[in-house]
Amino acid sequence: MQLPAFLAPLARIGREVPPVRLFALTTFAPVPLLLLGGLAGGAVAWAALLYITALIYALDRLIARAAPDAPEGAEFPAADRLSVALGGAHFLLLFAAVSAISGATHLDAPSRMALFLAFGLFFGQVSNSNAHELIHRTDKRLFALGKWVYISLLYGHHTSAHRLVHHRFVATPDDPNSAPLGESYWAFAPRAWRGAFIAGFEMERARAARLSGRVWRTRLARLTPYPTYLIGGLWFALLFTILFGGAGLAAYLGLCAYAQIQLLLSDYVQHYGLERRALGDGSFEPVTEAHSWDAPDPVSALWMLNAPRHSDHHAHPARPYPALILGDMAAPGRPVLPRSLPAMAAIALFPPLWRRVMDKRVRALRAG
């Protein structure tokens, strides 16, 4: 398969550490197609969808080798600039998506369907991965940008639940976002959404109580930051209703639901069936690379800002995405997905197929 000229730099990623500009090229390539498709529909809309689905998958299979790990201590000063650019692009694309899908740009039904899928995939795979990076940053401005990306997808509580619950309790029964062996995605998703919302609130309330020394301040702080998540989400819903009417609200809620399905798919796939051993004192063994499923596929890693290098993220949550490493993928007991993260997420939508592919791998890891 001959790569288009503008994608030719991707051929290098199996031989050298990809610079931030390759992450930018991969994530921003469909943005003009999405924006033009939102105005004109037709072939441009379908081209955006094909890029996000077929082309990225095909390039993963064509290149078929992971990019080398960045040297220890390597710095990527442009990484945060790309995250800020992607954060800004997210809000522009969200407006364009609701406008087009609600009918404001007078597109035909097939074009609107293609755009719904393409925009939703971008929000679920790129916006989510980028917001996930941002909420791990110590810079308050970067953190706030990631939080508001999640709020705009009606998933603001993930800002609290991911950092305070998932990272602490991953691969244990106390983590709502770790799926046990045999649980289908469709059973996992509502349980995880509800459980993360409640657990994140409880952790924020407990933290506020520890930090506040006065009763009245404690009571007020116990509500924070959940009112921001909820009121912010209502603000977006109201804005799109004012701008595009009931059709705009329906389009917005549909896009948020579609994006959230993918956010939950990421957690489902990346921790399915993996367990941390309980210790005698009631605690659990430390988190290691044995508690996350990684994927070495190179182009989908660029597309998702190295989110498929998930075990290293759990080991080093503050490490910027270009510096995440895979390590030795052939090491005994290492969970490795048989296909890319987006491909496995698609398989997870079909529980019998998912169990046929994954359950034997989980059992082999446990037996080893």
Side-chain angles (χ1 to χ4, degrees):
M1 177 179 176
Q2 184 67 36
L3 293 183
F6 79 101
L7 291 176
L10 294 176
R12 303 184 318 188
I13 66 175
R15 300 189 295 271
E16 58 188 66
V17 177
V20 172
R21 64 176 176 272
L22 276 184
F23 287 94
L25 169 66
T26 309
T27 52
F28 269 101
V31 170
L33 295 175
L34 289 167
L35 293 174
L36 289 173
L39 295 173
V44 182
W46 288 100
L49 179 59
L50 288 173
Y51 173 89
I52 294 171
T53 54
L55 182 59
I56 289 178
Y57 180 80
L59 290 173
D60 271 340
R61 307 307 299 161
L62 176 68
I63 297 172
R65 57 182 182 270
D69 294 337
E72 187 68 33
E75 296 184 356
F76 298 87
D80 286 345
R81 293 197 295 273
L82 175 57
S83 284
V84 170
L86 285 171
H90 165 80
F91 294 105
L92 175 62
L93 290 172
L94 186 59
F95 176 87
V98 175
S99 174
I101 295 165
S102 68
T105 55
H106 307 292
L107 302 180
D108 58 74
S111 294
R112 290 160 66 183
M113 177 56 67
L115 288 168
F116 176 80
L117 295 172
F119 276 112
L121 287 168
F122 187 94
F123 298 146
Q125 296 177 8
V126 178
S127 293
N128 168 53
S129 299
N130 187 50
H132 168 256
E133 282 293 317
L134 290 167
I135 64 171
H136 281 288
R137 296 290 165 260
T138 55
D139 186 309
K140 292 182 179 180
R141 296 166 299 178
L142 296 177
F143 175 85
L145 178 57
K147 177 183 72 174
W148 278 99
V149 170
Y150 278 131
I151 289 172
S152 74
L153 297 174
L154 302 182
Y155 208 60
H157 70 272
H158 190 70
T159 308
S160 297
H162 177 79
R163 295 175 302 113
L164 304 179
V165 180
H166 178 63
H167 270 270
R168 178 178 176 182
F169 299 111
V170 64
T172 75
D174 294 323
D175 177 30
N177 290 85
S178 293
L181 178 66
E183 183 177 39
S184 74
Y185 169 73
W186 300 109
F188 164 83
R191 177 187 64 77
W193 200 106
R194 181 176 61 253
F197 186 94
I198 295 170
F201 175 75
E202 291 175 344
M203 293 293 282
E204 289 284 10
R205 183 173 60 183
R207 185 169 68 166
R210 290 194 302 271
L211 296 176
S212 180
R214 297 182 181 178
V215 174
W216 68 270
R217 289 182 61 192
T218 301
R219 289 174 179 170
L220 182 62
R222 282 176 181 174
L223 298 175
T224 307
Y226 269 65
T228 303
Y229 302 154
L230 298 174
I231 296 171
L234 288 173
W235 184 90
F236 277 100
L238 179 61
L239 173 66
F240 287 122
T241 303
I242 293 171
L243 292 176
F244 304 110
L249 177 62
Y252 172 62
L253 294 178
L255 285 165
C256 289
Y258 187 28
Q260 289 181 26
I261 285 172
Q262 294 172 82
L263 307 186
L264 289 161
L265 275 168
S266 293
D267 281 333
Y268 178 79
V269 170
Q270 290 177 309
H271 298 290
Y272 176 77
L274 302 179
E275 299 176 334
R276 287 158 63 190
R277 182 169 52 87
L279 303 178
D281 60 359
S283 63
F284 292 89
E285 65 177 322
V287 179
T288 70
E289 61 186 16
H291 302 121
S292 299
W293 291 96
D294 287 329
D297 306 81
V299 181
S300 54
L302 293 173
W303 171 245
M304 301 184 72
L305 302 182
N306 268 346
R309 299 186 173 206
H310 200 60
S311 61
D312 192 46
H313 167 69
H314 272 276
H316 306 95
R319 179 172 284 176
Y321 59 87
L324 293 173
I325 66 173
L326 282 172
D328 183 6
M329 299 294 284
R334 183 73 187 272
V336 180
L337 293 171
R339 288 289 184 270
S340 68
L341 179 55
M344 295 307 297
I347 291 173
L349 296 173
F350 304 93
L353 177 59
W354 171 261
R355 286 194 289 268
R356 187 159 62 248
V357 172
M358 290 300 297
D359 284 15
K360 61 186 178 184
R361 289 176 165 81
V362 175
R363 293 191 181 97
L365 289 171
R366 292 181 178 181

